[in-house]
């Protein structure tokens, strides 16, 4: 019975996500909103539509395959088989769960690998975005794996250890551990991890630096960590972001952004990023996520006491890892709803940061910066509202431009 519910949820989540993708794709040829009508000529519009279609098709193939494999693994006892295979190596409960989860993540990464390769070296390449060389790809893969082994491994081991030793209070201790770890990553994650993958250089003295310094002084923002990142190492697409909290705050501009935009436009982008800081968006989003984690740990602690979470998958004895897998699948519909909530909050913050830039700097430069970066990345100008609600962290271009008029 529980297994039927679990499989039904896997199917339900797949159907909802695919339906959203389909709705979005079906609007590819919809009339373009007036605000962005001037952005593409006919050829650029059709290239943007083709790019969207290629990504849609690849996404559909990979999610169908992953869903099919998940259903087979659940119903054919593959997970239980992996569990008893790992039990042949160790009887230590913490080690057992760690090896099991590591093996599972290797298997799922291996399944996703061909799709990642196709996305980067075929789709992104054909549309002129890709800068990733096979060497960079391989190094990223190795470094990414090492970082998760070194960083996520010990945290996961501690969570399992807490579960084994404090069954009753596990939810609270587990949450405290994750909350402390999240706070650390939130403050220092970018500073510690990003340099492993990218080169960060302080913005050199010059016209841009002067303009940025002037703007920051006018806003009473102490400009400490402003870096230019070699985003061009992987893609021609331009970007910028803000991270950290208090004195650990940091702004990163992609070199592609600095190269493509005028000085005033870069300051416009920076004004938006500082808006996120001044209006406490990063802090609010962090608190939101900590509270959601608390709710998830409370549910996890409550449901882990039921052995059926493991035995439903065909295992003879219950284990943290099998129960956790069942739990996170059951959480699927709730996760979709949380995504809806978090993304709507994020889009509201983006509008708000735009307004901050509009008031403190210049709406005109912010508009042209948005137009240039969207055009340059072949952005979809006619996304479906339902798709936007579930998947967009930023409002569609037309809406942002309208709010900046
Ligand atoms: Zn933003």
């Amino acid at each position: 019975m529980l297994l039927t519910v679990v499989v039904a949820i896997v199917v339900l989540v797949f159907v909802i996500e695919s339906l959203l993708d389909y709705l979005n794709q079906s609007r590819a040829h919809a009339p373009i909103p007036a605000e962005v009508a001037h952005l593409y000529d006919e050829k650029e519009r059709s290239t943007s539509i083709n790019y969207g279609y290629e990504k849609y098709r690849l996404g559909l193939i990979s999610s169908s395959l992953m869903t099919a494999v998940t259903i087979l693994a659940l119903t054919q006892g593959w997970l239980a088989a992996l569990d008893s295979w790992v039990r042949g190596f160790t009887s230590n409960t913490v080690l057992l769960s760690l090896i099991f989860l590591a093996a599972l993540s290797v298997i799922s990464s291996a399944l996703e690998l061909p799709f990642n390769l196709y996305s980067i070296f075929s789709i992104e390449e054909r549309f002129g975005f890709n800068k990733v060389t096979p060497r960079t790809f391989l190094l990223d893969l190795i470094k990414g794996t090492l970082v998760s082994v070194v960083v996520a491994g010990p945290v996961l081991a501690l969570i399992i250890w807490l579960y084994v030793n404090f069954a009753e209070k596990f939810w609270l201790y587990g949450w405290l551990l994750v909350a402390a770890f999240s706070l650390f990553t939130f403050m220092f994650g970018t500073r510690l991890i990003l340099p492993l993958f990218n080169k960060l250089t302080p913005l050199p003295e010059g016209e841009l630096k002067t303009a940025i310094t002037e703007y920051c002084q006018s806003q009473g923002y102490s400009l400490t960590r402003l870096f230019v990142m070699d985003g061009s190492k992987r893609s021609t697409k331009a970007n910028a972001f803000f991270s950290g909290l208090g004195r650990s705050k940091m702004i990163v501009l992609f070199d592609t952004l600095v190269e493509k935009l005028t000085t005033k436009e870069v300051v416009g982008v920076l004004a938006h990023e500082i808006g996120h800081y001044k209006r406490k968006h990063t802090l609010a989003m962090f608190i939101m996520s900590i509270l959601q984690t608390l709710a998830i740990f409370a549910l996890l602690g409550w449901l882990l006491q039921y052995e059926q979470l493991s035995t439903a998958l065909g295992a003879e004895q219950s284990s943290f890892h099998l129960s956790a897998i069942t739990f996170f699948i059951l959480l699927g519909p709730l996760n979709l709803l949380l995504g809806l909530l978090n993304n709507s909050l994020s889009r509201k913050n983006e509008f708000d940061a735009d307004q901050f830039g509009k008031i403190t700097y210049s709406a005109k430069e912010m508009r042209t910066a948005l137009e240039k970066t969207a055009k340059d990345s072949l952005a979809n100008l006619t996304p479906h509202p339902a798709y936007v609600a579930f998947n967009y962290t930023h409002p569609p271009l037309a809406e942002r431009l309208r709010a900046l008029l």
Side-chain angles (χ1 to χ4, degrees), residues 272-273 276 350 394:
H272 168 102
E273 299 304 331
H276 281 311
E350 293 304 326
H394 290 59

Side-chain angles (χ1 to χ4, degrees), residues 163 166-172 294-309 323 327 330-331:
Y163 170 71
F166 303 95
E168 291 261 298
K169 285 271 167 64
F170 158 72
W171 66 276
L172 182 63
L294 175 62
I296 289 170
F297 262 98
L299 275 173
L300 180 66
W302 171 54
L303 283 176
L304 276 186
Q305 58 176 313
Y306 297 104
E307 280 198 349
Q308 292 92 316
L309 255 62
S323 293
F327 172 78
L330 292 174
L331 210 62

Side-chain angles (χ1 to χ4, degrees), residues 176-208:
L176 284 174
L177 172 73
V178 171
F181 177 71
S182 308
L183 181 65
F184 181 79
T185 340
F186 180 62
M187 294 189 69
F188 304 105
T190 316
R191 274 168 78 183
L192 295 174
I193 306 286
L194 195 62
L196 300 175
F197 296 88
N198 283 91
K199 211 167 102 191
L200 298 170
T201 15
L203 185 67
E205 295 298 328
E207 191 201 346
L208 181 59

Side-chain angles (χ1 to χ4, degrees), residues 67-371:
T67 305
V69 172
T70 306
I71 293 173
L72 283 171
L74 291 168
T75 56
Q76 304 303 306
W78 291 357
L79 293 167
L82 181 63
D83 175 62
S84 56
W85 180 70
V86 178
R87 280 178 197 275
F89 298 104
T90 178
S91 56
N92 178 307
T93 36
V94 176
L95 212 54
L96 171 72
S97 291
L98 266 186
I99 298 177
F100 179 94
L101 293 171
L104 201 62
S105 93
V106 169
I107 295 169
S108 83
S109 307
L111 283 173
E112 282 164 7
L113 185 65
F115 299 105
N116 285 340
L117 287 170
Y118 187 81
S119 165
I120 296 172
F121 296 107
S122 180
I123 301 180
E124 297 294 305
E125 184 73 40
R126 265 181 285 145
F127 287 88
F129 295 127
N130 181 43
K131 289 286 193 69
V132 177
T133 60
R135 184 187 137 84
T136 309
F137 184 85
L138 202 64
L139 280 175
D140 281 356
L141 193 67
I142 295 168
K143 285 190 260 183
T145 311
L146 283 177
V147 167
S148 39
V149 169
V150 172
V151 181
V155 176
L156 190 60
L158 263 173
I159 291 177
I160 303 165
W161 182 81
L162 288 171
Y163 170 71
V164 174
N165 290 285
F166 303 95
E168 291 261 298
K169 285 271 167 64
F170 158 72
W171 66 276
L172 182 63
Y173 297 158
W175 174 68
L176 284 174
L177 172 73
V178 171
F181 177 71
S182 308
L183 181 65
F184 181 79
T185 340
F186 180 62
M187 294 189 69
F188 304 105
T190 316
R191 274 168 78 183
L192 295 174
I193 306 286
L194 195 62
L196 300 175
F197 296 88
N198 283 91
K199 211 167 102 191
L200 298 170
T201 15
L203 185 67
E205 295 298 328
E207 191 201 346
L208 181 59
K209 179 79 183 277
T210 312
I212 287 176
T213 313
E214 256 170 41
Y215 170 76
C216 289
Q217 271 166 2
S218 77
Q219 295 310 309
Y221 177 91
S222 67
L223 188 65
T224 40
R225 279 178 213 89
L226 172 68
F227 294 101
V228 179
M229 186 185 106
D230 58 344
S232 59
K233 187 175 160 186
R234 295 194 180 78
S235 172
T236 60
K237 291 176 185 172
N239 210 342
F241 63 88
F242 179 90
S243 88
L245 188 67
R247 293 179 67 183
S248 78
K249 63 190 190 299
M250 156 171 177
I251 295 178
V252 176
L253 305 171
F254 281 37
D255 54 356
T256 39
L257 188 91
V258 176
E259 187 188 305
K260 285 171 186 171
L261 302 186
T262 66
T263 297
K264 283 193 138 187
E265 286 166 345
V266 176
V267 181
V269 172
L270 188 102
H272 168 102
E273 299 304 331
I274 289 177
H276 281 311
Y277 173 74
K278 285 275 182 186
R279 302 217 162 151
K280 304 211 170 10
H281 298 153
T282 30
L283 183 64
M285 291 300 267
F286 174 71
I287 292 171
M288 255 304 261
S289 96
I290 293 273
L291 291 178
Q292 287 174 12
T293 315
L294 175 62
I296 289 170
F297 262 98
L299 275 173
L300 180 66
W302 171 54
L303 283 176
L304 276 186
Q305 58 176 313
Y306 297 104
E307 280 198 349
Q308 292 92 316
L309 255 62
S310 285
T311 51
L313 303 186
E316 277 164 16
Q317 40 189 323
S318 87
S319 60
F320 174 83
H321 48 274
L322 287 179
S323 293
I325 288 171
T326 308
F327 172 78
F328 281 106
I329 292 176
L330 292 174
L331 210 62
L334 182 69
N335 266 332
L336 280 178
L337 292 178
L338 283 180
L340 204 58
L341 175 73
N342 293 337
N343 284 332
S344 115
L345 212 72
S346 167
R347 290 192 304 271
K348 193 180 143 289
N349 289 343
E350 293 304 326
F351 274 130
D352 198 36
D354 279 348
Q355 288 308 306
F356 181 88
K358 181 179 170 178
I359 295 164
T360 61
Y361 192 63
S362 154
K364 181 173 161 274
E365 262 73 30
M366 293 179 72
R367 278 204 309 274
T368 51
L370 280 174
E371 286 175 355

